[in-house]
C-alpha cells in the first residue's frame, strides 16, 4: 500500500501563517510515501513568495512532487511571462516541469497545464500529454497510474470557471493511456468523483483539493487530501482545518474501487 498527501493552492503571499504549524505537524505525522502539490505555490510568482514556498517544502519529511499553477508565472510582467515564464519556479522549486515518482504499486506523473498566453485558463499541449501517456505505458499493469496537474479537466456544475483549453480531448487521451486518478486544484473547492466520460470501459477518479493555506476561500475551509492506494481501492480522506481546535481533521471520506475503473 502507498499513501499520497495531496496539497494545492498554497498561495504564499496570500497565505495564513497560523496554518503552517498545524499543516506541517499533520502532513509529517501521516507517514506519506509522497506529498503532491498541484500548483499555485505562490500568489504573484515573486522571489520572496517562492522562497517561503521552498522553506515550507524543505520542512516536509516525505518526498515531494510539484507542478506549477497559473499564479506561479508573473501576471504583471508580460515580457517575462511570455519569454521566460517558469524561470523563478525552476530556480526555487524544481527545474523539471513534468516530474515523475514511482513505487512498487504506483506511478505518479506531473503535467504542466499552465498557459503563458491565457494566464488563468490553462492548456494541455499534445507534447505534454504524449510525455505523460508514455510514462504511464512504461509502468507495469498492476501499478496505479496517477496524474497531477493544476487545472481540472472536468468542473463541478457549481463553478463558473471553464475547463482548460482542450480539456475533453486531453481527458480522452489520458484515459486511453491508462490514467486511474487525476489530482488537481485551481478551483479552491473540494471535489471527488469518477469522471463522467470513459475511454471504452476505462474510467478514472477526479480529485480536486481546495486551498490548503490561502486566505482566498470559496466558502469552504482550508483542506488537503490523503489517498491510500491498495490493490483493490483508492481510499480518500479530506482533512479540513478546524478553527476551534486549530488542527486539520477528517471531514470527508470516500472509497473508489480500482476494479470498477477498468474492464
Amino acid at each position: 500500500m502507498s499513501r499520497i498527501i495531496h496539497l494545492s493552492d498554497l498561495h504564499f503571499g496570500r497565505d495564513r501563517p497560523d496554518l503552517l504549524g498545524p499543516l506541517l505537524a499533520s502532513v509529517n505525522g501521516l507517514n506519506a510515501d509522497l506529498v503532491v502539490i498541484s500548483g499555485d505555490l505562490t500568489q504573484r510568482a515573486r522571489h520572496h513568495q517562492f522562497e517561503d514556498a521552498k522553506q515550507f517544502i524543505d520542512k516536509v519529511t516525505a518526498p515531494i512532487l510539484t507542478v506549477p499553477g497559473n499564479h506561479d508565472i508573473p501576471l504583471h510582467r508580460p515580457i517575462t511571462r511570455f519569454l521566460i515564464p517558469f524561470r523563478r519556479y525552476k530556480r526555487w522549486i524544481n527545474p523539471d516541469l513534468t516530474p515523475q515518482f514511482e513505487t512498487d504499486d504506483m506511478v505518479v506523473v506531473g503535467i504542466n497545464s499552465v498557459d503563458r498566453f491565457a494566464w488563468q485558463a490553462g492548456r494541455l499541449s499534445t507534447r505534454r500529454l504524449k510525455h505523460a501517456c508514455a510514462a504511464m505505458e512504461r509502468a507495469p499493469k498492476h501499478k496505479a497510474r496517477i496524474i497531477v496537474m493544476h487545472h481540472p479537466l472536468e468542473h463541478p456544475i457549481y463553478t463558473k470557471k471553464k475547463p482548460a483549453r482542450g480539456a475533453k480531448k486531453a481527458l480522452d487521451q489520458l484515459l486511453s493511456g491508462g490514467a486511474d486518478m487525476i489530482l488537481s486544484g485551481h478551483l479552491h473547492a473540494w471535489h471527488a468523483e469518477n469522471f463522467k466520460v470513459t475511454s471504452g470501459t476505462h474510467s478514472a477518479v477526479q480529485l480536486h483539493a481546495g486551498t490548503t493555506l490561502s486566505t482566498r476561500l470559496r466558502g469552504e475551509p482550508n483542506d488537503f487530501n490523503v489517498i491510500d492506494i491498495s490493490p483493490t481501492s483508492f481510499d480518500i480522506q479530506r482533512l479540513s482545518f478546524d478553527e476551534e481546535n486549530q488542527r486539520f481533521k477528517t471531514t470527508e471520506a470516500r472509497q473508489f474501487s480500482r476494479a470498477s475503473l477498468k474492464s
Side-chain angles (χ1 to χ4, degrees), residues 4 27 36 49 63 82 89 206 211 216 228 263:
I4 296 174
V27 168
V36 162
Q49 295 172 0
F82 295 153
Y89 177 91
Q206 57 171 320
T211 172
R216 302 173 72 239
D228 287 317
S263 59

Side-chain angles (χ1 to χ4, degrees), residues 55-105:
Q55 289 177 357
F56 169 78
I57 287 171
D58 287 345
K59 293 175 182 177
V60 174
T61 55
I64 294 245
L65 183 148
T66 68
V67 293
N70 53 295
H71 279 266
D72 297 322
I73 64 174
L75 172 60
H76 301 300
R77 301 183 66 183
I79 294 176
T80 301
R81 175 156 55 96
F82 295 153
L83 298 180
I84 44 174
F86 301 105
R87 180 175 63 177
R88 293 180 180 180
Y89 177 91
K90 289 180 175 180
R91 172 187 171 184
W92 289 102
I93 306 301
N94 191 347
D96 186 357
L97 300 178
T98 56
Q100 298 178 35
F101 183 86
E102 193 165 355
T103 68
D104 290 341
D105 54 7

Side-chain angles (χ1 to χ4, degrees), residues 15 26 33-35 38 48 75 92 95 119 122 150 185 230:
D15 58 299
S26 186
D33 297 283
L34 178 68
V35 173
S38 56
H48 68 91
L75 172 60
W92 289 102
W119 179 74
H150 181 61
S230 76

Side-chain angles (χ1 to χ4, degrees), residues 241-256:
F241 189 66
D242 182 340
E243 299 286 351
E244 182 178 355
N245 295 301
Q246 292 291 291
R247 65 183 181 89
F248 285 88
K249 68 177 186 180
T250 300
T251 54
E252 303 266 3
R254 302 280 176 86
Q255 183 179 78
F256 294 87

